[in-house]
């Protein structure tokens, strides 16, 4: 049986996709699944004795069981902390679909579910000429939307949900993310989102000064995934 694939996108950059993706991995593992993470393209990497490494990709690798090779978790590790398109150009790297699909296939062979974290918001390209929707379709993924719970989130969430469905992908659910240290009417935003989005809320992760994916996973309730 082929592994399920979940593609995690966000209403914007900096809304907590990495924490939510790692929390999903912990939640799936707590249900007895073999779950592994993937960050296909990551910009903002640091040079280590083992090569370029990205903090978000390492978080996903650490939350995975079984533990995959870093090169499969993050096939394209780009040094510059900027948009992936610019980081790839600066590094002289051409981001191609074949290596991404091959890595996802290897991860799928060792897992029941592969959680794939995208870049920025849904319409942010992975590379020149490569949209996130293209990869999500190619690997047969359902989409989970991470919504940063702050002023403006309702519009961003509804627009993203429409864009995902217009791109021919199934939106499986959404996760609220407490991005602000002092929540502003957060519960009211959650209720508005529950009424506005056509898919279930899979959990609301509170603001964490020091993010802890294992702890955040307790906020995840995703029986449909």
């Amino acid at each position: 049986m082929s592994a399920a694939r979940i593609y995690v996108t966000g209403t914007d950059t900096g809304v907590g996709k990495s924490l939510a993706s790692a929390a999903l991995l912990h939640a799936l593992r707590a249900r007895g699944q073999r779950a592994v993470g993937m960050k296909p393209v990551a910009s903002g990497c640091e040079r280590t004795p083992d090569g370029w490494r990205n903090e978000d990709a390492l978080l996903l690798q650490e939350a995975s069981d079984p533990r995959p090779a870093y090169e499969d978790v993050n096939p394209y590790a780009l040094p510059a902390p900027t948009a992936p398109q610019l980081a790839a150009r600066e590094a002289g790297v051409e981001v191609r679909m074949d290596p991404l699909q091959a890595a996802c296939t290897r991860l799928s062979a060792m897992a029941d579910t592969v959680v794939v974290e995208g870049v920025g918001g849904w319409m942010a390209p992975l590379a020149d000429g490569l949209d996130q929707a293209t990869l999500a379709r190619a690997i047969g993924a359902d989409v989970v939307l991470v919504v940063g719970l702050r002023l403006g989130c309702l519009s961003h969430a509804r627009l993203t949900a429409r864009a995902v469905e217009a791109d021919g992908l199934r939106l499986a659910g959404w996760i609220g993310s407490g991005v602000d240290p002092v929540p502003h009417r957060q519960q009211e935003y959650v209720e508005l989102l529950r009424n506005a989005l056509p898919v279930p809320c899979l959990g609301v992760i509170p603001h964490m000064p020091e993010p802890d994916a294992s702890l955040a996973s307790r906020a995840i309730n995703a029986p449909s995934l």
Side-chain angles (χ1 to χ4, degrees), residues 12 23 39 44 46 49-50 53 57 59 72-73 85 87 93 108 113 129 149-150 160 179 191 206 221:
D12 200 351
K39 178 79 175 176
E46 295 185 2
D50 297 318
R53 294 292 185 265
L59 178 66
D72 286 339
V73 175
Q85 285 173 287
V93 171
S108 297
T113 303
L149 299 173
R150 58 192 176 199
T160 304
V179 291
E191 291 307 315
N221 179 24

Side-chain angles (χ1 to χ4, degrees), residues 29-40:
R29 287 170 50 198
R31 286 161 42 185
Q33 290 196 31
R34 298 172 301 156
V36 299
M38 182 181 184
K39 178 79 175 176

Side-chain angles (χ1 to χ4, degrees), residues 5-10 16-18 20-22 24 38-39 114-120 122 132 141-146 175:
R5 285 88 177 263
I6 299 170
Y7 196 96
V8 179
T9 192
K17 288 190 307 298
S18 296
S21 298
L24 268 176
M38 182 181 184
K39 178 79 175 176
V114 180
V115 176
V116 183
E117 183 194 345
V119 299
W122 179 248
Q132 297 186 73
D142 288 340
V143 179
V144 168
L145 173 63
V146 179
I175 296 172

Side-chain angles (χ1 to χ4, degrees), residues 109-215:
M110 63 190 301
D112 300 306
T113 303
V114 180
V115 176
V116 183
E117 183 194 345
V119 299
W122 179 248
M123 296 304 293
L126 287 167
D128 291 330
L130 178 57
D131 284 334
Q132 297 186 73
T134 304
L135 176 59
R137 277 195 301 267
I139 64 175
D142 288 340
V143 179
V144 168
L145 173 63
V146 179
V147 181
L149 299 173
R150 58 192 176 199
L151 186 62
C153 67
L154 187 61
S155 177
H156 290 315
R158 295 179 68 197
L159 286 170
T160 304
R162 289 184 184 181
V164 169
E165 293 178 347
D167 282 330
L169 278 299
R170 174 179 176 264
L171 185 64
W174 63 277
I175 296 172
S177 176
V179 291
D180 294 330
V182 180
H184 173 70
R185 310 187 77 158
Q186 180 172 294
Q187 189 54 44
E188 292 175 84
Y189 288 144
V190 169
E191 291 307 315
L192 288 173
L193 289 162
R194 287 184 190 275
N195 292 328
L197 295 177
V199 292
C201 176
L202 306 179
V204 178
I205 298 174
H207 177 77
M208 292 184 169
E210 295 188 11
D212 183 324
S214 179
L215 183 60

Side-chain angles (χ1 to χ4, degrees), residues 12-86:
D12 200 351
T13 191
V15 296
K17 288 190 307 298
S18 296
L19 179 60
S21 298
L24 268 176
L25 287 169
H26 280 283
L28 291 167
R29 287 170 50 198
R31 286 161 42 185
Q33 290 196 31
R34 298 172 301 156
V36 299
M38 182 181 184
K39 178 79 175 176
V41 180
S43 54
C45 299
E46 295 185 2
R47 188 188 293 277
T48 74
D50 297 318
W52 292 101
R53 294 292 185 265
N54 173 264
E55 183 180 7
D56 295 340
L58 289 171
L59 178 66
L60 296 178
Q61 185 187 37
E62 182 180 349
S64 299
D65 188 20
R67 185 69 61 92
Y70 183 85
E71 290 71 21
D72 286 339
V73 175
N74 180 208
Y76 288 99
L78 307 171
T82 185
Q85 285 173 287
L86 300 179

